[in-house]
Amino acid sequence: MEKEKTTEELLKEKLFYKKENAFEKNDEAYRSAVKEYAEGYKKFLDSSKTEREAVTTSIKMLASRGYKEYKLGDKLEVGGKYYLNNRGKSLYAFKIGSEPVEEGIRICAAHIDSPRLDLKQHPLYENESFAYLKTHYYGGIRKYQWATIPLALHGVVTLINGENVEITIGENEGDPVFCITDLLPHLAREQASKPMSAVFTGEGMNLLIGSEPYGKCDEAVKLNMLKILNEKYGICESDFVSAELVALPAGKSRDMGLDKSMIHGYGHDDKVCAYPALTALLESENSPHTLMCVLADKEEIGSDGVSGMKCILTLDLIYEISKSFSANAGVVRMNSMCLSADVNAGYDPMFSEVYEKRNSAIVNCGVVMSKYTGSGGKSSTSDASAEFVAYIRNIFEKDGVIWQTAELGKVDAGGGGTVAKYIANQNITTVDLGVPVLSMHAPYEVIAKNDLYETHKAFCAFCK
Ligand code: MN
Ligand code: MN
């Protein structure tokens, strides 16, 4: 016999907010749906380490579901499914709904670039019979985390005739990997006393790539490296100038924990939001709304340039969609809504001092909505309205989405922004949404499968 609840307990149930944990849901079908969805995500993640790879992977998924390539100015049809491939580095997938486009577009936006080490324009040099590649880090990294781990090279070299040579070294069985070396503890007495930021400098992030000379001459090891690259890829040293080659953690993502409840991998930020956004679009075949999924580049370095969210292309595309159906683009944007999907800092008990737990993203407690991001007195955030947050609450509650709200750590502990403000600045109602991550921006980040799945459910509810 269950004990009867007291008046206080009943009143508490009615009045108190209680954060839901996905593990409270004791349902076999739910557990297996979470696991199955995570398998698809891991495949996406492993084949999308750079923004270019993520665009290629996403286009394959879109094409298999009947999406056709669209170029600005092309004719559009009601019910049509399209994607705009922006220079191979960012992607706009959209589906024209049956309702008038002036009702607005439902946009899910995430970014597909992740922190890494970009090669410099003149990267290759020899020092004491070792060959190295000089790097310039991309995005906010903690440099010491990138030393000694196996790194792979990914990217393209565009030859002077315009031909693209794709390079991936370090991912297949038998491939070599590269690394940045560190000091042995036996001789690190002085290094260990330095502040962490002084131990590895930007100019110290040099990738060790070889040690065997070719013949007997000056710079014989460097010569050998160029000989190997030339034989395999047909490139010379000058071709590095028109290349986008990046060093990033080698290998595949893995299940984490004895219970396999988490995923350990490179680039969750922000593929862990890009995948749910894209799959929600693909699964929303019956939605009457015009839907759009934006996968942006350059978020990690400020969203500037032709492939970043500050680019006017989003405006141009909405203008073209509107024009196709004789709609006023200003009205379309005014009535549009956007979930700006990016990861949040998962509460980490190992570093509890930087979090305010009541307003932190708790791992396994579902998708995180952030009314505002930014830093130091809500600086640099679009800060969604109470009305829009209430609207989102409502659709989540209706679809049983497990969700929570959070801001990024304690007030004045630091902070960060997302693409939300750039979209909101175009007069599109926007709020932040995403997955809690542990060790964010480290070579390997950690997420929970429950949160990934709930983020997908959130996008599906929004697109419905
Ligand atoms: Mn991000
Ligand atoms: Mn980031």
Side-chain angles (χ1 to χ4, degrees), residues 78-99:
V78 171
K81 301 190 286 187
Y82 310 92
Y83 65 84
L84 190 161
N85 175 355
N86 179 19
R87 302 161 165 96
K89 289 166 71 77
S90 76
L91 189 67
Y92 295 75
F94 57 102
K95 184 173 102 46
I96 306 296
S98 53
E99 71 181 11

Side-chain angles (χ1 to χ4, degrees), residues 282-311:
L282 295 177
E283 287 166 30
S284 299
E285 287 286 330
N286 299 322
S287 172
H289 311 298
T290 294
L291 304 173
M292 185 183 285
C293 171
V294 188
L295 302 181
D297 180 28
K298 297 282 181 276
E299 193 278 341
E300 295 296 356
I301 58 167
S303 296
D304 287 301
V306 289
S307 55
M309 261 336 267
K310 283 185 192 164
C311 177

Side-chain angles (χ1 to χ4, degrees), residues 111 115 269 299-300 342-343 440-441:
H111 70 90
D269 178 6
E299 193 278 341
E300 295 296 356
D342 208 341
V343 295
M440 195 197 293
H441 282 205

Side-chain angles (χ1 to χ4, degrees), residues 45-307:
L45 185 62
D46 294 338
S47 61
S48 306
K49 287 189 166 184
T50 66
E51 65 281 359
R52 286 178 188 267
E53 291 168 4
V55 166
T56 306
T57 308
S58 303
I59 287 177
K60 274 187 201 145
M61 291 165 66
L62 288 160
S64 76
R65 302 293 284 266
Y67 279 73
K68 299 264 177 293
E69 178 155 26
Y70 164 85
K71 294 207 156 68
L72 281 183
D74 285 356
K75 228 172 102 3
L76 296 166
E77 285 165 16
V78 171
K81 301 190 286 187
Y82 310 92
Y83 65 84
L84 190 161
N85 175 355
N86 179 19
R87 302 161 165 96
K89 289 166 71 77
S90 76
L91 189 67
Y92 295 75
F94 57 102
K95 184 173 102 46
I96 306 296
S98 53
E99 71 181 11
V101 70
E102 283 193 356
E103 300 284 318
I105 302 172
R106 305 209 170 191
I107 304 168
C108 298
H111 70 90
I112 47 176
D113 59 320
S114 300
R116 64 198 187 208
L117 305 172
D118 284 0
L119 297 198
K120 286 195 184 189
Q121 302 263 261
H122 294 297
L124 182 61
Y125 74 103
E126 179 173 333
N127 185 7
E128 303 287 352
S129 300
F130 285 121
Y132 294 94
L133 292 172
K134 290 203 71 68
T135 68
H136 192 141
Y137 60 96
Y138 175 97
I141 64 163
R142 309 189 71 202
K143 299 184 188 81
Y144 73 91
Q145 295 175 336
W146 294 71
T148 74
I149 62 167
L151 296 169
L153 270 183
H154 286 232
V156 297
V157 179
T158 309
L159 305 179
I160 200 159
N161 65 7
E163 186 196 327
N164 257 12
V165 181
E166 282 184 37
I167 295 181
T168 309
I169 308 170
E171 299 293 355
N172 294 322
E173 195 72 37
D175 269 9
V177 293
F178 313 99
C179 90
I180 293 164
T181 56
D182 195 3
L183 200 52
L184 61 168
H186 316 68
L187 298 177
R189 195 175 294 162
E190 196 202 322
Q191 186 204 48
S193 68
K194 286 186 190 170
M196 213 142 57
S197 59
V199 174
F200 280 92
T201 60
E203 290 302 340
M205 305 298 281
N206 302 316
L207 211 58
L208 177 56
I209 64 157
S211 64
E212 184 178 341
Y214 177 75
K216 286 191 185 110
C217 63
D218 263 3
E219 301 188 290
V221 179
K222 174 177 165 177
L223 179 62
N224 195 29
M225 299 304 113
L226 284 170
K227 182 174 169 286
I228 293 166
L229 288 171
N230 185 263
E231 281 168 2
K232 183 132 193 229
Y233 302 106
I235 60 173
C236 304
E237 189 177 12
S238 57
D239 293 319
F240 281 119
V241 170
S242 50
E244 285 176 19
L245 289 170
V246 314
L248 46 73
K252 287 183 162 57
S253 55
R254 313 275 294 265
D255 281 343
M256 204 181 103
L258 288 172
D259 52 11
K260 300 187 177 177
S261 62
M262 297 168 275
I263 302 172
H264 181 271
Y266 166 70
H268 285 312
D269 178 6
D270 188 28
K271 265 79 79 169
V272 75
C273 296
Y275 183 73
L278 188 64
T279 50
L281 173 71
L282 295 177
E283 287 166 30
S284 299
E285 287 286 330
N286 299 322
S287 172
H289 311 298
T290 294
L291 304 173
M292 185 183 285
C293 171
V294 188
L295 302 181
D297 180 28
K298 297 282 181 276
E299 193 278 341
E300 295 296 356
I301 58 167
S303 296
D304 287 301
V306 289
S307 55

